[in-house]
Amino acid sequence: MINGLRVRNVESYVHYVCLTATEFYRDQYGTDPADTPVAAGLARRSVTLPLFPDMALEDVEYVVASLKAVLAQ
């Protein structure tokens, strides 16, 4: 989804990283994303979309249209 948005010039990012899935936590504490299924699920489904105070309505509409197009693929 992030790559599909980027092709449409809409920057988006992973919003939430599940700590138990990070290399540090795996190495340091032997964690696994299965240890925290709710956090792991949120990490897979969360994304940051453009949002700022001066964002024009046309930009909002473009982001929404782009997201719909990517999700429809």
Side-chain angles (χ1 to χ4, degrees):
M1 180 178 68
I2 290 172
N3 288 334
L5 289 171
R6 188 166 291 133
V7 167
R8 291 168 172 78
N9 294 316
V10 176
E11 287 298 320
S12 60
Y13 303 93
V14 173
H15 181 76
Y16 175 77
V17 176
C18 178
L19 292 180
T20 58
T22 64
E23 184 178 351
F24 174 79
Y25 273 74
R26 284 192 319 266
D27 293 348
Q28 214 47 37
Y29 305 109
T31 61
D32 184 275
D35 297 335
T36 54
V38 174
L42 287 171
R44 285 191 302 274
R45 297 187 314 270
S46 299
V47 66
T48 299
L49 297 172
L51 178 66
F52 51 94
D54 294 332
M55 193 170 182
L57 180 57
E58 295 82 22
D59 294 330
V60 173
E61 290 169 346
Y62 182 76
V63 169
V64 171
S66 296
L67 182 59
K68 285 180 178 180
V70 169
L71 293 175
Q73 293 178 347

